[in-house]
Amino acid sequence: MPRYVIFLTLFAALLHAAWNTLLRGGTDRLWSMTVMCLTIAVTCTAIALSLPAPARASWPYALLSALLHVGYNLCLVRSYQVGDLGQTYPIARGSSPLLVTCAAALFAGEKIDVNTVGGIAMVSGGILMLAVKEGKLATPGLRYALATGAFIAAYSVVDGMGVRIAGNAIAYIVWMSALWGALMPGLYVALRDSGSLLRWRPGMVHAAVGGLISLLAYGLVIYAMTAAPMGAVSALRETSVLFASVLGYLFLGEALTRRRILACALIAGGTLIIG
């Protein structure tokens, strides 16, 4: 993997942990997520006007990815409604590289190295340390965190395939993100109402900034996938679990126990081996 791709992906990991911290710290996370998506839609639409359209062959991938992102948003919001950032985030992010690596092998022809078995064992061990304590489930919303990981894997593979045939990586990222950002407000209105969406509330600026950070973070990852294997990029990105644990401790008052640190280190180390 080129050195610049490593640096871009690590920076994206830090940005990703940062916007998840903003989302977890909000009081109405569905509303915060929708404001983030609105910001993404407006920003990407403005950028798209100055870019050529991606190749027509990539359009189905962009639409499918946008739909998968909405499912990811809903699962992520639900997991943060019932669990800590330092627990649910590592489970969601740690499970996705396993699925990305397998899916990339099935659908994109990428090879799985034998050494990935050790990485899989480390990630699985870290997830178990976070999810189980004294033989009992210790993570509220575990199923939502795992579902979030499945959506991450699905859209990562779809975007990794789509961006490679788009002809213009930035155009693909912008068009897909505009679609994704436009779908989420419609879902919010269907679940609640239109009046509360744009009404000013404390935290609106933070949510909007989170949307911009999210867009930049994922854009960097998709761009990195044009120059390196999807499994490797996805794995390196998941070092964000360490950033999330520290940010949760610093800004959300979450516990940073030795057990949690070790679990996150296992997940991060395992994802790097997988990559």
Side-chain angles (χ1 to χ4, degrees):
M1 183 186 294
R3 186 173 299 176
Y4 79 93
V5 173
I6 294 174
F7 288 139
L8 285 178
T9 307
L10 287 174
F11 182 52
L14 175 59
L15 292 177
H16 198 281
W19 79 256
N20 273 264
T21 303
L22 288 173
L23 178 63
R24 177 62 180 80
T27 55
D28 186 345
R29 297 177 185 94
L30 178 61
W31 174 81
S32 296
M33 177 63 82
T34 307
V35 172
M36 287 183 182
C37 289
L38 265 175
T39 305
I40 290 171
V42 171
T43 303
C44 288
T45 300
I47 296 174
L49 296 176
S50 62
L51 293 175
R56 188 178 294 270
S58 69
W59 292 5
Y61 292 92
L63 178 58
L64 178 56
S65 175
L67 293 171
L68 290 170
H69 270 84
V70 172
Y72 157 76
N73 288 347
L74 293 177
C75 288
L76 183 64
V77 166
R78 184 57 181 157
S79 68
Y80 286 161
Q81 287 173 341
V82 296
D84 286 349
L85 175 72
Q87 283 186 305
T88 56
Y89 184 91
I91 291 172
R93 305 310 305 187
S95 60
S96 64
L98 312 182
L99 300 173
V100 167
T101 302
C102 294
L106 288 174
F107 300 110
E110 293 187 359
K111 295 181 180 180
I112 299 178
D113 193 278
V114 176
N115 292 333
T116 58
V117 174
I120 290 171
M122 289 177 66
V123 171
S124 300
I127 290 174
L128 284 174
M129 286 186 68
L130 288 172
V132 178
K133 187 176 182 180
E134 297 178 355
K136 297 181 180 179
L137 186 65
T139 303
L142 175 63
R143 58 180 177 175
Y144 295 109
L146 291 175
T148 302
F151 275 110
I152 293 168
Y155 71 61
S156 295
V157 173
V158 169
D159 282 335
M161 296 171 68
V163 76
R164 291 177 179 180
I165 61 174
N168 186 317
I170 296 177
Y172 176 87
I173 294 165
V174 168
W175 278 56
M176 183 282 294
S177 298
L179 284 172
W180 159 37
L183 287 173
M184 193 65 192
L187 180 61
Y188 179 93
V189 172
L191 293 175
R192 293 188 180 178
D193 60 86
S194 59
S196 65
L197 178 56
L198 297 179
R199 185 182 305 131
W200 176 263
R201 302 191 207 178
M204 180 173 278
V205 173
H206 285 171
V209 170
L212 294 176
I213 294 174
S214 169
L215 176 62
L216 177 59
Y218 194 58
L220 289 174
V221 167
I222 296 301
Y223 180 78
M225 286 182 179
T226 64
M230 285 183 268
V233 173
S234 177
L236 187 59
R237 176 183 59 176
E238 304 318 340
T239 55
S240 60
V241 300
L242 298 175
F243 296 128
S245 294
V246 174
L247 292 174
Y249 171 75
L250 292 175
F251 298 105
L252 302 178
E254 296 181 358
L256 193 60
T257 63
R258 281 181 292 182
R259 176 189 177 91
R260 185 173 292 189
I261 294 172
L262 177 58
C264 290
L266 281 173
I267 291 171
T271 56
L272 288 174
I273 292 175
I274 292 170

